[in-house]
Amino acid sequence: MKFQKSKKIYKKTSNFLAGPSTFSKGLDLFLNDISPYAIKKSKGCFAYDVDGNKYIDNIMSLGAVIIGHANKEINEEVKKQLNKGTLYSLASELEGQLAEMLCERIPSADVVRFGKNGNDATTAAIRLARHYTNKTHVLFCGYHAWQDWYICKTSMNSGIPKEISNYSHRFNYNDIKSLQDLFDRYKNKVACVIMEPISKENPMNYFLKDVKKITKKNNALLIFDEVVTGFRVDRGGYQNISGIKPDLSCFSKAMGNGLPISALVGSKKVMSKSQEIFYSLTFGGENLSLAASIATLKFIDKYKVCENIRDNGRFVIDRINQKIKNLSLENYIFLNGYPGKTIFNFRNQDDSNAEMMRIFWISKLIQNGILNNGYQILSHSHNKEIITKMVSSYEKVLDEIKFKLNKGQFIKKNYKLKLNPDIRK
Ligand SMILES: Cc1ncc(COP(=O)(O)O)c(C=O)c1O
């Protein structure tokens, strides 16, 4: 697979662009000759790069495009709105319409505020929780934003005053003691707990229930970050599956099938205080995204999108786990995540280097026509035929890994290449 045009475009582009617009869009993959730099067109679950290579898209715009790229039904609604105006000088009636739809779907949603990015919702949630509780400390677990309150606790924290990090503290998912310890250490100072209700791991041993209990007992707010899970695992988010109702929740990504929109939702009691903090965006309530989101939520119900993604994802997971078992690769490779977002993980062993295997996996799949970054994010457009094709490619690459392991070809101890510095612990 050749990336000649990609290289030319990158060379020209980098004279004018100081950096990528999205951290996880694979620039490091491209710079290591693994992936193309730029896409020319995407349709359904396919992406076409500038060199004319066609891929099954398993990134799906980091989960934002849930139905499929350039979907006709969604596009029609967006086009209709385009002719009526993209951004009004006063509120648009679409805001109320979409807010009502969200409140009908999401168990914890009495009322809604809109934003454009996941960041808007999570950062507004933190500010509101601090205002509501009159406390400062934030306990978190996972990736939530590029804003100071979160990035201060990662390796990319330069440019952020050191003091900020005194107020943010990481706990571990499925480790209730790590959360309890933080509540003990910062007694009466914790404003909120923010977390993805499910991410790499499934909740174990009533974890979410215990998180809710401890948070409530300490008069802090529980915020579910459903930026990824929202409308992907269930039409009402993971809270609709777990039965655990947070005080506030954040939705974005899949909400607009690729158009930029987010929502902070929650109880009337807490959300009514949101007018006492400052949360305002010129492009908040922009019409094309509102129209896209209304159409997307309707589509999700009409075509049982979440159920289809769940079934297809489950099928892939089962088949790959079986293949891993057949090849006795369990000590080297394991899957986690959930059917709509599956992560392929590699383990360091005496006879293999995990990062070498991971990069081999990503690059071989790209050569086999599957655009990926080590994750598999499914959309409604990944139909049975595509899924079957993908599984065959996965199995083929697993066979190659087994072959290379037998030949001792993943042994390099001090392997230097490391993709994506991990800010998403
Ligand atoms: C769980 C989670 N929360 C929040 C965000 C931030 O969303 P955005 O990049 O749209 O601001 C992301 C982005 O990947 C995310 O994965």
Side-chain angles (χ1 to χ4, degrees):
M1 199 164 270
K2 295 266 187 301
F3 305 130
Q4 304 299 31
K5 270 201 185 157
S6 259
K7 284 178 186 164
K8 265 195 202 147
I9 289 172
Y10 176 72
K11 199 162 172 233
K12 198 165 168 214
T13 305
S14 51
N15 288 326
F16 304 102
L17 270 181
S21 306
T22 307
F23 177 74
S24 316
K25 273 196 185 162
L27 186 59
D28 49 357
L29 288 175
F30 165 72
L31 293 173
N32 287 292
D33 230 5
I34 292 169
S35 143
Y37 169 63
I39 302 291
K40 199 178 179 85
K41 186 181 108 176
S42 284
K43 179 82 187 152
C45 68
F46 294 108
Y48 303 81
D49 74 12
V50 288
D51 285 278
N53 301 306
K54 178 182 177 183
Y55 308 89
I56 297 171
D57 187 348
N58 271 5
I59 301 175
M60 292 312 285
S61 317
L62 306 168
V65 180
I66 185 127
I67 291 168
H69 296 285
N71 176 270
K72 198 160 169 270
E73 284 181 47
I74 311 296
N75 278 2
E76 283 309 318
E77 294 305 312
V78 173
K79 278 188 222 161
K80 268 192 234 162
Q81 186 56 46
L82 188 59
N83 290 324
K84 291 198 254 176
T86 55
L87 184 65
Y88 297 150
S89 304
L90 297 175
S92 155
E93 63 181 331
L94 296 180
E95 285 184 59
Q97 220 176 303
L98 179 57
E100 191 177 347
M101 289 173 77
L102 294 175
C103 293
E104 182 269 313
R105 283 163 174 73
I106 304 166
S108 69
D110 294 340
V111 278
V112 176
R113 295 282 303 264
F114 289 113
K116 298 305 291 172
N117 297 289
N119 267 278
D120 299 339
T122 54
T123 300
I126 298 299
R127 186 176 293 173
L128 177 56
R130 283 173 163 162
H131 170 69
Y132 184 84
T133 59
N134 201 20
K135 295 191 270 186
T136 29
H137 290 252
V138 171
L139 312 184
F140 67 91
C141 156
Y143 175 79
H144 302 291
W146 67 272
Q147 307 290 351
D148 290 0
W149 68 265
Y150 173 76
I151 291 295
C152 66
K153 275 292 179 358
T154 72
S155 59
M156 296 185 83
N157 59 2
S158 192
I160 301 171
K162 276 208 164 37
E163 301 73 40
I164 302 277
S165 71
N166 294 338
Y167 301 108
S168 296
H169 316 282
R170 188 185 290 280
F171 65 97
N172 301 320
Y173 193 85
N174 271 337
D175 179 356
I176 201 70
K177 187 174 177 303
S178 70
L179 182 68
Q180 183 63 63
D181 286 351
L182 288 172
F183 269 116
D184 292 345
R185 192 173 325 149
Y186 301 101
K187 206 161 177 51
N188 300 325
K189 291 181 179 165
V190 175
C192 60
V193 171
I194 181 167
M195 62 184 297
E196 283 191 90
I198 182 173
S199 182
K200 290 178 186 162
E201 299 171 42
N202 284 310
M204 310 273 278
N205 303 328
Y206 304 103
F207 178 63
L208 294 179
K209 202 171 162 203
D210 289 345
V211 169
K212 167 122 182 166
K213 206 161 99 190
I214 294 178
T215 307
K216 195 161 182 236
K217 192 171 154 210
N218 286 278
N219 296 317
L221 297 188
L222 176 60
I223 305 166
F224 274 178
D225 177 345
E226 298 232 39
V227 165
V228 177
T229 51
F231 319 112
R232 172 164 291 281
V233 297
D234 188 275
R235 72 192 287 276
Y238 192 73
Q239 56 196 266
N240 208 26
I241 297 176
S242 67
I244 305 295
K245 224 165 134 178
D247 300 290
L248 296 169
S249 334
C250 309
F251 290 82
S252 187
K253 298 225 191 220
M255 197 174 155
N257 196 45
L259 273 90
I261 186 158
S262 64
L264 169 62
V265 312
S267 68
K268 255 195 190 132
K269 191 171 167 215
V270 179
M271 289 289 286
S272 64
K273 300 278 178 198
S274 73
Q275 294 204 46
E276 296 168 11
I277 59 163
F278 194 70
Y279 177 52
S280 165
L281 304 87
T282 300
F283 293 104
E286 164 271 313
N287 289 323
L288 301 187
S289 305
L290 290 168
S293 187
I294 290 169
T296 300
L297 296 187
K298 284 184 184 165
F299 191 107
I300 284 173
D301 286 352
K302 184 171 162 195
Y303 295 101
K304 297 202 175 311
V305 168
C306 300
E307 290 81 349
N308 291 341
I309 288 179
R310 201 182 307 151
D311 291 350
N312 284 335
R314 188 78 263 156
F315 174 79
V316 177
I317 292 169
D318 290 347
R319 279 284 295 268
I320 299 310
N321 278 337
Q322 188 58 51
K323 181 73 180 176
I324 289 172
K325 198 167 168 215
N326 293 347
L327 293 172
S328 305
L329 288 175
E330 296 100 321
N331 290 337
Y332 300 88
I333 306 169
F334 67 98
L335 311 188
N336 62 12
Y338 44 90
K341 182 183 176 189
T342 305
I343 308 154
F344 296 88
N345 302 280
F346 297 83
R347 279 196 194 96
N348 275 327
Q349 298 290 343
D350 286 344
D351 57 351
S352 66
N353 177 298
E355 192 60 5
M356 262 181 109
M357 276 194 285
R358 191 171 83 89
I359 290 165
F360 179 81
W361 170 259
I362 295 172
S363 62
K364 274 286 161 182
L365 286 178
I366 291 178
Q367 284 168 29
N368 276 279
I370 298 182
L371 192 65
N372 80 104
N373 52 13
Y375 290 64
Q376 171 191 272
I377 301 185
L378 295 182
S379 74
H380 183 69
S381 301
H382 289 76
N383 61 27
K384 285 268 173 323
E385 191 190 337
I386 305 284
I387 293 282
T388 310
K389 218 166 147 184
M390 267 163 47
V391 167
S392 301
S393 298
Y394 290 156
E395 289 176 340
K396 192 170 136 198
V397 179
L398 286 172
D399 282 332
E400 289 179 56
I401 288 181
K402 178 72 181 180
F403 180 81
K404 283 174 83 74
L405 271 170
N406 286 342
K407 295 244 171 215
Q409 291 178 0
F410 288 122
I411 287 179
K412 221 178 265 179
K413 284 286 176 223
N414 300 314
Y415 189 62
K416 286 277 184 303
L417 182 55
K418 185 139 180 57
L419 304 177
N420 273 339
D422 195 3
I423 58 157
R424 298 165 176 273
K425 282 187 198 135

